[in-house]
Amino acid sequence: MERRPGGEANIRTGEKVMTRPRTHPIRRYRRRALALALLGGIAGLTLLAPWLATADPRHAVPADQWLAPSAAHPFGTDHLGRDVFSRVLYGGRQTLAMGLLALGITLGPGLVMGLVAGYAGRWVDRALMTVMDALLAIPSLLLALALIVVLGSGTTQAALAVGIAGIPVYARVTRAAALEARALPHIEAARSIGVRPVGILGRHILPVIRPVLLSFAGVTFGWALLNGAALMFLGYGGDIAAPDWGVMLAGAREAFRSAPWAAVAPGVALSLTVFATNLLASSFNGSRASK
Amino acid sequence: MTFGVIGVLALVLCLAAVIFLVLVLQDDSESGDDGNRIVYGLTLNPSGFDPHINASNELGIPFFSVYDTLVYRHPQTMEFVPGLAEEWSMADNGLSWTFQLRRDVTFHDGDPFNAQAVAVNLDRITNPDIPSQKARGLLGPYTGYTIVDDFTITLELSEPYAPLLDALSQVYLGVASPKALSEYSKNTYQWHQVGTGPYRLDEVVPGDHIILKRNKDYAWGPVFYAPASDQSLDTIEFRFYEDAPTRSLALEDDQVQAIGELLPADAERMIGNPALRVVPVPIAGMPQQFFFNTQRAPTDQLAVRQALLYGTNRTAIANAVFQGQSPVAYGPLTSVTPFYDPVVETKYPYDPDFARSLLQGIGYQDSDGDGILERDGEPLTVRITFAPWNQMVDVAQLIQSQWRELGIEAELDLVSNFPDLIARADSGEYNLIGRYDFGVDASIITPYYLSDGLNNWSGYSDGELDDWLREAVRQPDPAMRAQLYKSVQGRIMDEAVILPIREYVNLNGTTARLDGVIFSGQGWWPLLRNFQLTQ
Amino acid sequence: MIPILVQRLGAALVVAWLALTLVFVALRWIPGDAVDATLARGITSEADIAARRDALGLNDPIPRQYFDYLGGVLHGDWGESLVYGQPVTDIIAQNIGPTAALALGALLLGSTLGITLGILAGLSHWPPLRYGAEAAASLALATPVYWTATLAIYLFSVQFDLLPGVGASGARNLVLPVLVLGFHTAGSIAHVTASAVKETAQGDFVRTARAKGLPTPDVLDHILRVGLLPVVAVIALQFGFLLGGTVITETIFARRGLGRVLLRAISDRDYPVIQGVIVLSALAYSLINALADVLYTWIDPRINSHTEGR
């Protein structure tokens, strides 16, 4: 564990651990409110897609190819004459679901390994973290790409690949936090009176490091969205007719000179979601998302 | 140690800047005076460039002009004309072919061309240690050769083989310099290729570029090669543009002066641009198509396959995806392929109502009102497997959309590469699978339709069809072959083994300064000798 | 100093070896391989395919393949591409230049832009500037490379004919890719810089200095001296992101480079090439980070005394 000036913790993985909130609480809550409003709005729109959409997102009308935005098609139509507005609404479902699935896959093993390594220390820590370092040394998108070779194409597989690629970073962050929490006086005390490790981890350490874990979960979700969309963009997603922001961006690129609008809506939706996620993450412990 | 963070940071950044500049400048080393020079955009980076070993059509774009072949197909008439062989004859029993070779030919490295050189090439192609992906297969029942004299060679066959001349006219059987072949290994020869053609290989940086220079001594070309003039190209640099949307950008920026496989929409827009020219070249062989899996429900039923054929609006697909620049395909061969039978055009007109009635006839009905047909509670679902090339992604989505209106659920299964496609084919878990191949001789379809063919992905098995296909390869008489292939095409469509979509058209784009842009009979390969750069 | 250097470099090598092993094992799980990819394109028989698999050693037991490969790597023989038949080291050598140029250019631009934005976001007293810088940094973090790349080509190349949109060689062709990739790199650097300088600015020394009425430039100098420390490490970490980013950037801008080599190798199942590129990037990444660690200790010896373990 390296200590850096100003209470900074390990920045090898870019995380800030246990940093006292520097941002004013009110500003933090405002930030969290804005982030939640944005995310809630996006999630709401995608959930309400069946009622809000003006057209079947998969229904191709070849005659309506590349129509510019109009009252009938607020965001225009794409290269197969599908309504971009409806596709963006429905597209959020798959993109967000993929992000959530990837997040879940990252969180479980990441959390467990991080806690175990951080709490057990010694050779367990050393062994686990060396493996994590090895994975960490492979850039996450490259790791996801290598995994997709093993797993094959498909939406679930892409989410799996992205999720697995996120594990080492999350494990490292958790471990760093747990390590620091372990040294806190009341936890030391609990250990010395012989409380079982599971109890200590669950009842004492987890609550202390929750802000860090939540914050970094937000950051991880943002990465998962971007990397997941990247895999869809590169064509590893299986069902390509599915409305999905990454797929839409890839399709729109083929015709971006005839119909640039087809790339704008999914791009903005994706960026906005990731932005809101990062904002939410930063509101948990005052440090902003950092890679 | 009081150097300071800023100092260190600045130092590191400066160091990075210096390395960066060195890399950029080193990358910038452009050649000087190359005479008439163009950059030709290749659309994919083939797995290898050795025509004897590799199978990609793309490799012929540069190398068709590096090599000469024993015979050529005339690009207009498709007839065979002399190349390195001045004349040839087939023995009456069809088991040997004798070629009289030209006496005035030398390789780029000064080695003389003769019967011995042809023999060395044949030995190389048939050498089991050289894993030939295409050339060996093209030679069919070839068993060996006899050198009659210095300029006469006889090729021997174990059975009659009609496509022999077609094989010999392809770049894969181009004649390479024996000296160069012995100097380099089977892996390294591809970067040092030496032929007798109108251009010689000057430089290769794998994955980046290939440079050809004009062969000034060239005087033995086939009849359709233009004589050299001061507008002939002296230097041609080939670069890779694998990502389709970038091709039109490269052409419009004048980064390339010629490029193949433009996106249809880009080609469409380019037609109004006076600085550019679009040269569409129809490709002989199989059309862009899907094989039906005749071994897996529900496409094991003829009525379902036929209903899918009637229910697919191929004109709408050709218009929307290919901007009307490719003709609709109706049968297993494209209309520019010799022995094409136009009867297939009448077989499956777009008729959704008839498609519905066919499905109704075998018991499919939408009993639960969800818009999808069922039979015995089983919904009518088909799985379409395909790789992303040639706008297949868009084609599949339109098909899915069209079939849904008929009450058929199409599940799209995009695989990202060829190994995955083969893995799917092996697993048999598809109802339709996209696969096609190109070649002027109709025998290109043989391995795809023979019951035990290596590429029989439809699982269709028909003894009579097998006999026709085998006989058509043995039969030297073109009229007889035409008759056999007529039966073959009829049977394949009557049995609805495939869903043809569109005939393949290579949309080439060039600068308007380039004249004489024509392509070989096979369609893919430019006759660079005829290109003229006007100023 | 030297012991730390040796220790860090040793750790980096161990990490690279583990990465190699993980990738090697993972890749052997897959059905289908390079031989199917290449051979089946032509007209060949099943027997030919089997023979080729044998010749390439794809039928050997996996442990044997692993030790053969590892032994080769130690002798500088990274194997041959199953598809191209070229030594992997040659393929890497031929393609590393353009990727390095792109990554370095993006890193330069990203560091400069990121530090500037970070200082503005962290220290500016004028809210519009502060929020503007913060927004720009957030945007850089939230937009995917493939989207900005498309927009950049559309704007700079199609709408206003300023720069070539695609192309492989020359300095002009490097401008757009570097801009796009550099912009994204700037995002995280800006965020770390902002919080680091903000924190330093709230520190006791600065408060004392301000109270004493020291001139601002000196205070600023101090803030940057201390505040930029973590930025050094973050810049090193960006290398990982850059190597991933080049995959997409090279594809969209039709550039030559390792990213495209990797994508291509993935679709061909060309194991030695995939292994080579990934191991190289792992090696580069861990070496650079090891050096950054050492540099860090050198700049600020205080850290040394707190360092334990790793």
Side-chain angles (χ1 to χ4, degrees), chain B residues 104-369:
Chain B
D104 55 351
V105 180
T106 39
F107 288 99
H108 301 148
D109 59 5
D111 235 24
F113 167 79
N114 51 33
Q116 187 58 43
V118 176
V120 167
N121 277 266
L122 287 168
D123 284 341
R124 180 173 193 249
I125 290 163
T126 52
N127 182 345
D129 294 338
I130 304 274
S132 171
Q133 295 161 19
K134 179 130 185 168
R136 178 65 191 93
L138 282 175
L139 284 173
Y142 163 88
T143 53
Y145 57 81
T146 313
I147 297 176
V148 180
D149 63 44
D150 268 1
F151 293 97
T152 311
I153 188 165
T154 301
L155 270 55
E156 281 137 20
L157 307 170
S158 59
E159 54 182 302
Y161 184 56
L164 184 69
L165 289 182
D166 175 74
L168 293 175
S169 74
Q170 297 191 41
V171 66
Y172 310 105
L173 293 172
V175 181
S177 154
K179 192 165 114 194
L181 289 178
S182 67
E183 259 170 56
Y184 299 99
S185 75
K186 67 175 185 205
N187 288 339
T188 56
Y189 172 71
Q190 59 176 319
W191 316 121
H192 306 276
Q193 301 188 43
V194 178
T196 60
Y199 285 86
R200 63 182 169 78
L201 183 58
D202 186 57
E203 183 183 297
V204 182
V205 176
D208 190 49
H209 69 259
I210 293 171
I211 292 177
L212 299 188
K213 297 260 190 194
R214 188 150 64 87
N215 175 8
K216 299 240 160 52
D217 304 327
Y218 190 73
W220 46 82
V223 285
F224 51 83
Y225 270 7
S229 76
D230 52 4
Q231 293 187 330
S232 292
L233 303 179
D234 297 306
T235 307
I236 306 164
E237 178 176 341
F238 295 86
R239 287 194 164 274
F240 301 100
Y241 291 87
E242 289 165 88
D243 188 39
T246 61
R247 292 177 199 147
S248 62
L249 282 169
L251 191 60
E252 286 169 34
D253 281 347
D254 211 27
Q255 300 231 331
V256 299
Q257 286 71 46
I259 194 162
E261 302 213 54
L262 292 171
L263 284 174
D266 289 338
E268 180 88 350
R269 204 187 43 247
M270 228 169 254
I271 287 169
N273 186 337
L276 303 174
R277 207 171 277 162
V278 176
V279 185
V281 178
I283 307 287
M286 295 156 77
Q288 186 163 345
Q289 63 175 26
F290 295 92
F291 281 100
F292 284 112
N293 185 348
T294 61
Q295 302 292 317
R296 185 180 196 252
T299 42
D300 53 343
Q301 306 161 80
L302 178 62
V304 171
R305 301 200 296 268
Q306 288 181 329
L308 293 177
L309 272 158
Y310 281 114
T312 309
N313 187 349
R314 288 175 273 183
T315 313
I317 295 173
N319 285 337
V321 180
F322 302 103
Q323 305 297 308
Q325 305 198 43
S326 296
V328 169
Y330 296 97
L333 291 172
T334 65
S335 58
V336 294
T337 316
F339 308 135
Y340 170 74
D341 181 13
V343 166
V344 293
E345 291 165 27
T346 60
K347 292 208 190 249
Y348 296 95
Y350 176 52
D351 190 343
D353 292 331
F354 188 62
R356 277 191 198 95
S357 68
L358 273 175
L359 292 173
Q360 222 162 36
I362 54 169
Y364 281 104
Q365 240 151 14
D366 184 12
S367 40
D368 57 6

Side-chain angles (χ1 to χ4, degrees), chain B residues 36-38 231-233 513-515 531-535:
Chain B
N36 290 331
R37 181 176 187 283
I38 65 162
Q231 293 187 330
S232 292
L233 303 179
R513 285 175 291 144
L514 212 50
D515 279 335
F531 283 33
Q532 311 264 314
L533 192 63
T534 58
Q535 290 314 319

Side-chain angles (χ1 to χ4, degrees), chain C:
Chain C
M1 185 78 209
I2 300 295
I4 297 174
L5 190 69
V6 170
Q7 185 209 339
R8 288 292 147 87
L9 291 183
L13 288 178
V14 170
V15 159
W17 165 72
L18 258 177
L20 177 154
T21 309
L22 290 172
V23 172
F24 187 94
V25 171
L27 287 179
R28 308 292 135 160
W29 276 347
I30 329 164
D33 58 42
V35 187
D36 299 338
T38 49
L39 269 191
R41 280 176 226 217
I43 319 156
T44 43
S45 68
E46 307 272 6
D48 287 348
I49 294 181
R52 185 88 210 279
R53 293 181 55 91
D54 242 8
L56 289 170
L58 291 170
N59 290 338
D60 289 347
I62 288 179
R64 165 122 186 251
Q65 288 186 41
Y66 174 71
F67 286 111
D68 283 353
Y69 180 70
L70 206 60
V73 167
L74 292 178
H75 292 100
D77 170 15
W78 292 39
E80 261 185 19
S81 158
L82 299 182
V83 179
Y84 293 80
Q86 251 188 315
V88 172
T89 39
D90 283 10
I91 296 180
I92 288 176
Q94 280 155 359
N95 289 286
I96 200 167
T99 301
L102 173 61
L104 270 178
L107 198 63
L108 277 174
L109 178 70
S111 311
T112 320
L113 186 66
I115 292 174
T116 313
L117 281 177
I119 291 175
L120 290 180
L123 297 181
S124 171
H125 293 292
W126 190 46
L129 191 60
R130 194 167 65 231
Y131 286 125
E134 216 172 293
S138 302
L139 196 68
L141 271 183
T143 47
V145 179
Y146 39 90
W147 192 49
T148 33
T150 309
L151 287 187
I153 293 178
Y154 187 72
L155 281 179
F156 292 105
S157 189
V158 178
Q159 284 294 339
F160 312 102
D161 193 10
L162 294 175
L163 289 163
V166 296
S169 65
R172 263 169 60 81
N173 279 319
L174 202 54
V175 178
L176 272 187
V178 162
L179 275 180
V180 167
L181 204 52
F183 175 64
H184 291 279
T185 318
S188 24
I189 296 180
H191 273 308
V192 172
T193 310
S195 51
V197 294
K198 208 191 275 176
E199 191 154 331
T200 321
Q202 290 164 353
D204 296 339
F205 172 84
V206 177
R207 261 183 244 154
T208 325
R210 280 230 181 87
K212 277 193 198 159
L214 273 178
T216 335
D218 279 9
V219 177
L220 190 67
D221 181 59
H222 171 80
I223 293 174
L224 293 186
R225 243 164 222 265
V226 179
L228 288 189
L229 262 178
V231 178
V232 176
V234 167
I235 290 175
L237 284 167
Q238 282 307 304
F239 236 83
F241 166 76
L242 279 171
L243 291 171
T246 52
V247 173
I248 288 176
T249 318
E250 285 171 1
T251 306
I252 295 186
F253 288 100
R255 289 181 58 79
R256 178 163 64 115
L258 287 181
R260 266 171 106 192
V261 166
L262 180 72
L263 269 190
R264 168 107 200 150
I266 283 176
S267 73
D268 288 339
R269 301 243 190 282
D270 196 345
Y271 304 143
V273 176
I274 302 179
Q275 280 158 201
V277 175
I278 294 212
V279 169
L280 182 79
S281 80
L283 203 61
Y285 179 84
S286 37
L287 284 181
I288 284 169
N289 280 285
L291 286 178
D293 263 5
V294 173
L295 189 70
Y296 207 93
T297 343
W298 180 52
I299 297 171
D300 187 354
R302 276 179 304 164
I303 295 163
N304 215 353
S305 53
H306 292 285
T307 307
E308 45 174 89
R310 314 184 324 96

Side-chain angles (χ1 to χ4, degrees), chain B residues 492-511:
Chain B
I492 289 170
M493 291 324 292
D494 287 342
E495 289 294 325
V497 180
I498 53 167
L499 171 61
I501 300 296
R502 61 126 188 176
E503 301 194 344
Y504 204 94
V505 175
N506 185 3
L507 296 171
N508 298 280
T510 72
T511 160

